[in-house]
Amino acid sequence: MKTRLVYSPHYDFSILGIEKLHPFDAKKYSKAWALLQNEFGNTINQYTTFVSAPISDQDLLSVHTEQYVQSLTQSKAIAAVIEMSPLALIPSTFLQKGLVTPAKYATAGTLLATQQALEGAIVFNLGGGFHHAFADHGEGFCFFSDAVLALTIVRNNNLISQDDTVIMIDLDAHRGNGFTSFYEKDKSVGIFDLYNMQAYPGLRDDTNDEFPFIIPLRAGLGSEDYLQLLKEELPAFLNTYKRSKLAFYNAGTDIVATDKLGGLNVSYESVIERDKFVIDQLRALKIPTVIMTSGGYSKESYKLIAELASYLVRVNG
């Protein structure tokens, strides 16, 4: 399976310098791209499709309510999504340009990556993975449910059928509560989610759990235990869904020990090992795959993004 990358310099966000007060590295996408350019030179462009326009409101309405989409013209609603209430005092035009529009570009990137993956490829969108967005609101710095939107559109366009099995492998440190909310009753979507149950949004409360592979982890879990659990549980999950027509992989870098919000204790080298293991498993099953960067709040985040992209290009290019 060949590798493709999807990227736009519009993925970076900015809000008059205030973004420096948030642990999220607002420029990590362009920093990761710069590392790839340094490693591969202009050759990296041969593997990359650049996103030419943000996602349209019409496409957003395929999964989000009209009321929610319209609310994102208001500063208060935007500030609520990124959980920085003082931003409600800033004119919405600045917030839309600096926050909402970058999210729209990244969402368009996930849709483009999904369309390309279904041609028989592993496609890494160097952004996206907004797994805390719900149909009627966003939270946890996630404005739009990009993977849900992409899946909905390719289904609607008959690129895959409504009954074809699709999987989400979510290895961000935080549980993908938004993504899961769309598929509570959709048996064709399988979800694998290792998450820190002591971090936002907390432990999933199931009295009759129909998602056995949404697996809580304790805060501070280290590299050895994390990788052992992953290497035991992911093959079992994939064996259950080995005939999947499409896979999404949220390759969150916030599991690294230096991350301020992830709460886990996984080494830099072990994050790289995690990503290689997941990709190798999916490649062996020849499942078309879309990778997204999801969360990451450390100074190492952009380097880990570049490490994964580099591995894909070197091994699958």
Side-chain angles (χ1 to χ4, degrees):
M1 299 181 73
K2 294 296 184 180
T3 286
R4 295 294 303 169
L5 305 178
V6 172
Y7 172 69
S8 169
H10 295 291
Y11 286 2
D12 285 349
F13 60 87
S14 63
I15 36 177
L16 306 175
I18 299 174
E19 68 275 6
K20 295 177 182 178
L21 300 177
H22 195 281
F24 195 96
D25 183 353
K27 310 299 181 186
K28 72 175 184 177
Y29 309 109
S30 60
K31 288 180 179 179
W33 179 251
L35 288 180
L36 293 172
Q37 287 181 310
N38 185 62
E39 179 178 359
F40 295 102
N42 291 334
T43 302
I44 196 65
N45 294 335
Q46 299 175 15
Y47 297 94
T48 306
T49 303
F50 295 92
V51 182
S52 60
I55 201 74
S56 68
D57 284 353
Q58 181 179 355
D59 283 339
L60 290 174
L61 291 173
S62 65
V63 296
H64 293 292
T65 66
E66 184 174 1
Q67 181 179 7
Y68 172 55
V69 173
Q70 291 180 347
S71 77
L72 294 177
T73 61
Q74 303 168 17
S75 297
K76 183 177 180 180
I78 297 171
V81 174
I82 67 168
E83 300 170 3
M84 293 181 68
S85 56
L87 294 185
L89 302 175
I90 296 177
S92 66
T93 51
F94 290 104
L95 299 185
Q96 289 177 64
K97 180 180 179 180
L99 293 171
V100 180
T101 296
K104 286 185 175 181
Y105 268 96
T107 299
T110 297
L111 174 58
L112 179 59
T114 304
Q115 293 165 335
Q116 292 185 349
L118 289 171
E119 297 173 359
I122 296 176
V123 188
F124 188 7
N125 178 24
L126 303 184
F130 306 133
H131 60 166
H132 300 309
F134 293 75
D136 61 355
H137 72 283
E139 58 186 56
F141 217 95
C142 296
F143 287 96
F144 310 115
S145 192
D146 57 326
V148 175
L149 181 146
L151 177 54
T152 299
I153 289 177
V154 297
R155 279 176 164 178
N156 290 344
N157 291 338
N158 298 315
L159 296 178
I160 59 174
S161 76
Q162 297 291 333
D163 297 325
D164 282 336
T165 301
V166 176
I167 57 175
M168 165 62 82
I169 300 170
D170 193 336
L171 298 184
D172 185 279
H174 304 92
R175 178 167 58 85
N177 54 341
F179 181 86
T180 304
S181 72
F182 286 90
Y183 299 110
E184 295 282 0
K185 298 180 180 179
D186 189 338
K187 304 300 182 184
S188 67
V189 178
I191 300 174
F192 183 91
D193 192 339
L194 296 184
Y195 70 97
N196 179 0
M197 65 181 178
Q198 294 167 273
Y200 161 86
L203 185 66
R204 180 178 170 87
D205 183 17
D206 283 312
T207 54
N208 183 18
D209 191 7
E210 296 182 358
F211 294 93
F213 292 101
I214 297 182
I215 303 170
L217 309 175
R218 57 177 172 79
L221 189 72
S223 298
E224 183 177 352
D225 291 337
Y226 182 93
L227 289 174
Q228 180 179 347
L229 182 63
L230 175 67
K231 292 178 180 181
E232 289 174 355
E233 297 291 346
L234 183 60
F237 171 79
L238 291 175
N239 187 57
T240 303
Y241 295 98
K242 59 186 175 183
R243 299 188 183 279
S244 298
K245 299 295 185 181
L246 177 67
F248 292 99
Y249 174 33
N250 263 355
T253 56
D254 53 0
I255 69 167
V256 73
T258 54
D259 194 276
K260 296 179 180 179
L261 299 181
L264 298 176
N265 193 31
V266 179
S267 70
Y268 184 96
E269 293 74 20
S270 294
V271 178
I272 295 173
E273 184 177 347
R274 173 203 71 173
D275 288 340
K276 290 179 178 180
F277 178 76
V278 173
I279 295 306
D280 291 348
Q281 293 282 306
L282 292 168
R283 185 176 54 191
L285 293 172
K286 298 182 179 179
I287 300 175
T289 299
V290 179
I291 307 170
M292 299 155 290
T293 55
S294 204
Y297 311 92
S298 71
K299 293 180 180 179
E300 287 78 26
S301 183
Y302 78 95
K303 298 176 186 177
L304 288 164
I305 292 171
E307 292 270 14
L308 175 52
S310 175
Y311 176 70
L312 289 165
V313 170
R314 286 184 283 104
V315 174
N316 296 339

